[in-house]
Structures are given as structure tokens and as C-alpha cells.
Amino acid sequence: MHLHRVVVLAAAASLLLSVGFVEARQSTPTGDRAAGRYLVLLRDGADVDGLTARYARRLGVRATHAYRHAVRGFAARLDAHQLSALRADPAVALIQADRVVELEAQTLPTGIDRVEADLSPTAKIDGLDERVDADIAIIDTGIQADHPDLNVAGGHNCINANPADWGDGYGHGTHVAGIAAAKDNLVGVVGVAPGARLWAVRVFDSTGFSLLSWIVWDRLGDRPEGPDGF
């Protein structure tokens, strides 16, 4: 059962990371949409459908979700009597209060605040996607071309013979691009020059490796001969 819980927690963490900035809040007694909701995990090998049917007949428990794979169990609204009865049932391994998970509003990172970008009339950070008319080259690992919070105009690859291979395979360049110019759109973070046109200059490979020759390479000169620049 312990391994199954680890699998579920890892999957939940992956989901939360995939949707950006999130906040998980404990249930509160009033005004919380998670109040009275619980996740009930059953012991290994338990018959989920059979047990939820039995709990419905005996306790009036109505499952809202059933889990039959990574874990075995269900989610349901439970009153005090139902909660007590399930906690005493030997087929039940764990009962966890449900939680509200919300997307956060756009945040102003400490570094952006420190340089007072939010006070700049050019940056005009006010939650409206009015983009700074400027071009910024990010000399790094590339930039994720389809990132929804970035205005990526194009790029150039300096590490091999394919100039169009400027996508970010490491993540650092995309992160730096966000610091420079994440859009002012009430999503995620905001950059120093919100919405400015970003140009990826990829000088690091997908492992974070680079050579001085890649970094100083003149794009108008000879291209590297091999697929990896060697």
C-alpha cells in the first residue's frame, strides 16, 4: 500500500507542475468547496465496486469517483457518522480530507520587483497583455517555442549544423526568457519587459554542455561540419 501511495503522490505532483503555479489549501469549516469531501483508500486487493455498493446500502455513502488502478478506493462526501463507520471498517486503509487546488494569479517575482519593473511606464505591468515593443536575444539553452506565457519570435542554433534546432531541451533558457519577458496576462509570472519579442540563441545542448567556440561562433561564418559541432 505504501508504494501505491507514492505512485499517487508522484502523479499528483506531476499534474500540478504541468498546469503551472498552483496552491493546495487545507479544507476549512466554512465557505470551502472541499468541506465534507474525503478520499477513502482501501486495502490492497479490495473489491472497489463491491465495497462502494455495500457502503451505499448500509451507510448511504455515494462515491463521486472510484479508483481501481494506482490505488484502490473512492472519493465521497461524508458526514460524521459515515466517516466514523468507514474509519472502523477493516477494509479501509486510509481516509484523507480532500483539498482545494487552485491556479494562482500572476505573481511578481522578487527579482522583477527589486529592479522596480512594476513601476516602469514602459513595462506597464497592470495585468493587460500590452507587449513591450523590443527584441531580446536569450543566449542560453534555447527557448520553448510554444510556451504560452512567452512571445517567441524565432531563434538560431549555434551548437550544430541545423540552425533551426533552437528549441530548449534543458529548460534554463526558457526560464531566463520568462525573467526577461513573460507576458503581463494574469497568468504565471511577469517579466521585466512583458511580452517583448524573444529570440533564442542556443549555445548549450540538452545536457547543459557548451564550448567557447559555440558561444562566439559567427552565424555568417562557416557552419560546424558535424551534427554536434565536432
Side-chain angles (χ1 to χ4, degrees):
M1 189 66 193
H2 176 69
L3 178 59
H4 285 178
R5 292 176 196 165
V6 171
V7 170
V8 170
L9 290 174
S14 176
L15 172 62
L16 297 184
L17 288 173
S18 73
V19 297
F21 292 86
V22 297
E23 177 187 3
R25 297 191 288 107
Q26 286 278 16
S27 297
T28 54
T30 60
D32 193 325
R33 294 175 62 184
R37 296 176 181 266
Y38 295 88
L39 284 78
V40 181
L41 298 187
L42 304 172
R43 299 200 179 276
D44 291 341
D47 178 3
V48 176
D49 295 327
L51 285 171
T52 53
R54 189 182 81 185
Y55 296 146
R57 291 194 306 270
R58 296 184 179 179
L59 300 172
V61 173
R62 304 297 179 188
T64 57
H65 297 80
Y67 311 113
R68 304 180 182 86
H69 302 289
V71 295
R72 305 189 72 76
F74 61 93
R77 289 182 179 273
L78 303 173
D79 60 28
H81 171 69
Q82 293 167 333
L83 186 59
S84 178
L86 288 175
R87 281 177 172 159
D89 192 312
V92 174
L94 175 71
I95 299 179
Q96 171 66 50
D98 208 346
R99 296 187 183 189
V100 171
V101 179
E102 297 176 325
L103 291 175
E104 286 186 348
Q106 176 175 275
T107 58
L108 183 71
T110 301
I112 311 304
D113 186 39
R114 185 174 295 153
V115 301
E116 298 188 341
D118 54 320
L119 303 181
S120 166
T122 301
K124 197 178 179 182
I125 296 175
D126 56 6
L128 299 177
D129 187 12
E130 300 170 326
R131 303 177 184 183
V132 174
D133 185 14
D135 295 88
I136 301 174
I138 304 297
I139 305 173
D140 209 293
T141 60
I143 302 175
Q144 179 185 329
D146 60 351
H147 195 292
D149 206 23
L150 301 176
N151 178 19
V152 183
H156 191 83
N157 172 41
C158 297
I159 71 172
N160 59 42
N162 180 7
D165 185 22
W166 50 263
D168 192 356
Y170 190 80
H172 190 268
T174 302
H175 175 76
V176 172
I179 295 172
K183 298 173 187 175
D184 184 16
N185 57 0
L186 299 178
V187 175
V189 299
V190 63
V192 175
R197 293 177 297 275
L198 291 163
W199 298 87
V201 180
R202 187 183 182 204
V203 297
F204 290 89
D205 69 12
S206 296
T207 69
F209 172 82
S210 185
L211 292 171
L212 184 60
S213 58
W214 295 356
I215 297 172
V216 301
W217 175 51
D218 180 357
R219 63 170 295 181
L220 298 180
D222 295 332
R223 298 193 184 282
E225 294 181 359
D228 57 1
F230 291 101

